[in-house]
Amino acid sequence: MNPVLTLSPIVRTHAFTVHTRRSPEFLDITEEVERAVAACGVREGIALVFSCHTTAAVRINENEPLLLRDMEEFLKRLAPRELYYSHNDFAIRTHNLTPEECPNAHAHLQHLLLGASEAVPIQGGKLALGRWQRIFLVELDRPRERRVLVQVVGCA
Ligand code: ZN
């Protein structure tokens, strides 16, 4: 039998929250993810970074301030806030309405293209990110507290 298969994997889930301030906004959460990976003792494995929201995404990209501005403008062009969307039409909408509901279809559509998670390889106990790669929580709706999960699976 392959000796690797006899090792029981480590699975650890770390949750944290971030406070966003505007929209769109790219918040660099790389250090928080690195801390979660370091704390769990996994040397070789995968870290899944997951946003628990439909209007806040997780994406890997470069943390360069002017690029972040470009990416924010790009998202606004893809799904402008001011267009008509059925999801925002509270005269016809009947599903998933809450007392604090606000028009946010643009944020859902931007999220559709970005996605809720990134998976990052762990090598030698560290995230195997490339030189310019950083992990971002991307706020697409009104600023608020956002919950992020880091699930680490691997071997010590
Ligand atoms: Zn919505």
Side-chain angles (χ1 to χ4, degrees):
M1 184 192 261
N2 184 332
V4 172
L5 297 177
T6 65
L7 295 170
S8 50
I10 297 169
V11 181
R12 296 279 184 277
T13 305
H14 171 76
F16 64 96
T17 56
V18 295
H19 297 271
T20 61
R21 295 157 299 181
R22 59 196 169 80
S23 168
E25 179 183 23
F26 285 75
L27 274 171
D28 192 326
I29 57 170
T30 311
E31 288 179 10
E32 186 76 42
V33 177
E34 285 172 340
R35 276 195 291 277
V37 169
C40 71
V42 164
R43 302 272 313 158
E44 303 296 322
I46 296 172
L48 178 74
V49 187
F50 180 77
S51 160
C52 300
H53 307 278
T54 58
T55 57
V58 169
R59 269 294 164 257
I60 291 174
N61 217 298
E62 181 179 347
N63 191 350
E64 190 282 300
L66 295 179
L67 176 64
L68 298 185
R69 189 191 296 175
D70 289 336
M71 293 194 291
E72 290 168 5
E73 293 304 318
F74 175 64
L75 291 172
K76 289 183 197 171
R77 286 196 298 275
L78 283 177
R81 184 188 293 262
E82 59 277 6
L83 292 186
Y84 174 85
Y85 301 102
S86 299
H87 181 67
N88 294 350
D89 191 341
F90 300 144
I92 61 168
R93 190 170 144 205
T94 57
H95 284 64
N96 299 353
L97 286 164
T98 62
E100 68 275 11
E101 199 69 32
C102 60
N104 66 355
H106 68 286
H108 289 286
L109 297 177
Q110 292 165 358
H111 185 277
L112 183 68
L113 299 173
L114 298 180
S117 66
E118 292 273 18
V120 185
I122 299 166
Q123 291 181 313
K126 294 188 181 327
L127 294 173
L129 291 169
R131 181 179 178 190
W132 301 112
Q133 287 183 311
R134 304 290 292 181
I135 306 165
F136 293 92
L137 184 283
V138 190
E139 178 59 75
L140 302 165
D141 198 2
R142 62 191 161 81
R144 71 188 91 166
E145 191 171 89
R146 296 298 202 170
R147 181 174 162 84
V148 179
L149 296 183
V150 180
Q151 187 160 69
V152 178
V153 180
C155 298

